[in-house]
Amino acid sequence: MAASMPAKERSGAILTVDLDAVRANYRLLRDKAHPAACSAVVKSDAYGLGAAQVGAALYEEGCRHFFVAHLEEGISLRPHVAPDAAIFVLHGPPVDTEGEFTAHGLTPVLNSEPQVAGWRAHAKALGKTLDAIVQVDTGMSRMGLSPQEIDAWLQDAHFLDGIKVRYIMSHLACADERSNPMNGEQLARFIAIRARLPQYRASLANSSGIFLSPDYHFDLVRPGAALYGIAPQGGEPNPLRSVVRLQGKVMQTRTIAAGDHVGYSRRYTASEPRQVATISVGYADGWLRSMSNQGLAIVDGVKVPQIGAISMDSITLDVSAIAQERVVPGSLVDLICAEHPVDAVAAMANTIGYEVLTNLGGRYYREYQGLAQSAR
């Protein structure tokens, strides 16, 4: 039997994650937030890039606080970081899952009175004090104790029986818009809550909040998107390193004549003869259909337009400006790279970099540069 071709050669596209860039971004964020501690948000499989690999690399870099969204994400991450790393679950314990948290060494973020009551009862059943973060709502109206629940907390001497509060935290809604007045309003509300609870350490800043001012840093910052190269402030230079490179493979090329149509619904019609390359990436791979007729790729440093509707498994590029011998079946084109980063792709899709990253699909062959020793 003939030897099997390597998976990289069989794949339709290659997604490269630069873990050295993730480390460098973490160091920049850590230094900017000093003396506050710097955590890492690795929810949604580290924004689609691999929580096991990213978590291990950041642990090597010295990170000891990790945030995920769901219980199952925390369970999956635990084997990839050492026991001295705290894993905080932002959504808190689903009903009757408190035992899973202690079994796997996870710490909940408590967002409501019922979650506090459940964690308090679990601590009593175990006869020990359990760590937690308590989230308070400062105006996002999404998760966290409401002002009325905070009042109830302060009036009930037994509200936190058996619970050691690691931090009180809240979340910024508009931190990527430096001039948005909501930032100052939330900061003022958080400071007022802290004045009522001065004994606890505090956490407010997400990625963008780190760049607002040191007033937002408190004792712990929680960067997520910035670790993965997404710009923290809209309209400002991005100080972070690009982390992702996505290369699609050419499946075939053809010459079309003036008047020929490309793709579903005849979304593109050639005004003159064009050279077209079909690339093995589509919306099933997370290449968003909203980029139809307005995305681009880069070949040898030259930007080439995406033409026609994005299909489930393919896109088409106008490569007329590229030498034909450079664009042949099996050759690679850059869809995301340092010259065309995630934020630029997001702008073309009328979305945000977070959605682009978290949509990157499972069919890509994935390569990790700078893999942590423990993940090799």
Side-chain angles (χ1 to χ4, degrees):
M1 181 182 295
S4 177
M5 179 181 289
K8 183 177 180 179
E9 303 303 319
R10 300 195 303 262
S11 68
I14 300 167
L15 178 65
T16 303
V17 179
D18 185 348
L19 294 173
D20 288 331
V22 174
R23 290 185 178 96
N25 290 341
Y26 177 79
R27 290 193 297 269
L28 184 151
L29 296 162
R30 179 195 64 199
D31 294 347
K32 189 168 185 65
H34 183 78
C38 187
S39 68
V41 179
V42 293
K43 63 183 181 178
S44 189
D45 198 28
Y47 289 50
L49 302 184
Q53 295 84 357
V54 169
L58 289 175
Y59 183 87
E60 271 193 357
E61 195 60 41
C63 182
R64 294 296 182 269
H65 299 75
F66 295 87
F67 284 84
V68 297
H70 299 295
L71 168 60
E72 201 62 34
E73 292 178 339
I75 292 172
S76 297
L77 178 64
R78 176 45 78 194
H80 302 287
V81 295
D84 66 328
I87 300 176
F88 301 104
V89 180
L90 288 163
H91 288 185
V95 176
D96 296 331
T97 61
E98 289 83 3
E100 294 293 325
F101 278 73
T102 48
H104 295 279
L106 308 176
T107 302
V109 175
L110 303 175
N111 297 289
S112 65
E113 283 188 298
Q115 286 190 344
V116 171
W119 198 239
R120 185 173 62 228
H122 186 54
K124 183 177 180 180
L126 295 178
K128 59 173 64 174
T129 299
L130 299 177
D131 286 356
I133 290 177
V134 177
Q135 180 158 203
V136 295
D137 180 25
T138 54
M140 198 170 182
S141 303
R142 188 181 65 168
M143 293 195 299
L145 298 182
S146 68
Q148 295 76 22
E149 288 175 313
I150 295 171
D151 289 342
W153 170 4
L154 292 168
Q155 293 166 13
D156 182 356
H158 301 290
F159 190 79
L160 291 178
D161 279 358
I163 299 174
K164 178 184 177 182
V165 177
R166 296 280 299 271
Y167 299 92
I168 57 169
M169 65 167 272
S170 193
H171 192 62
L172 295 166
C174 305
D176 58 332
E177 304 168 19
R178 186 181 298 279
S179 61
N180 195 305
M182 182 74 169
N183 297 320
E185 292 168 13
Q186 286 194 268
L187 178 61
R189 290 171 185 166
F190 193 61
I191 290 172
I193 292 169
R194 284 201 73 212
R196 303 175 73 188
L197 300 163
Q199 67 271 41
Y200 301 123
R201 292 180 295 177
S203 176
L204 178 63
N206 52 9
S207 290
S208 297
I210 294 171
F211 291 83
L212 290 177
S213 85
D215 293 341
Y216 291 80
H217 294 171
F218 294 96
D219 301 295
L220 176 73
V221 297
R222 309 187 311 273
L227 292 169
Y228 313 113
I230 292 175
Q233 291 292 330
E236 298 181 16
N238 188 353
L240 302 157
R241 283 177 53 178
S242 182
V243 169
V244 172
R245 185 180 189 185
L246 177 61
Q247 298 169 287
K249 285 186 181 177
V250 176
M251 291 191 287
Q252 69 176 78
T253 62
R254 68 179 66 226
T255 301
I256 63 173
D260 284 350
H261 309 292
V262 177
Y264 287 115
S265 304
R266 305 201 308 180
R267 295 277 292 275
Y268 175 86
T269 303
S271 60
E272 59 185 329
R274 310 306 296 166
Q275 189 73 8
V276 177
T278 302
I279 311 300
S280 186
V281 170
Y283 60 75
D285 305 290
W287 202 244
L288 301 175
R289 194 168 181 271
S290 58
M291 285 190 290
S292 294
N293 257 342
Q294 56 190 13
L296 61 83
I298 296 181
V299 182
D300 294 340
V302 177
K303 294 179 179 179
V304 298
Q306 185 272 317
I307 56 176
I310 291 174
S311 303
M312 181 181 289
D313 310 299
S314 65
I315 60 173
T316 40
L317 304 174
D318 180 349
V319 293
S320 305
I322 306 299
Q324 290 189 23
E325 63 270 18
R326 174 61 186 86
V327 187
V328 297
S331 61
L332 296 171
V333 302
D334 279 308
L335 300 174
I336 304 175
C337 59
E339 296 74 29
H340 186 52
V342 169
D343 290 307
V345 174
M348 290 181 170
N350 193 30
T351 185
I352 57 176
Y354 301 63
E355 185 176 22
V356 172
L357 285 186
T358 56
N359 271 279
L360 295 178
R363 296 196 294 190
Y364 301 129
Y365 178 82
R366 293 183 175 230
E367 287 189 329
Y368 288 91
Q369 296 176 349
L371 200 63
Q373 290 293 328
S374 60
R376 290 175 182 165

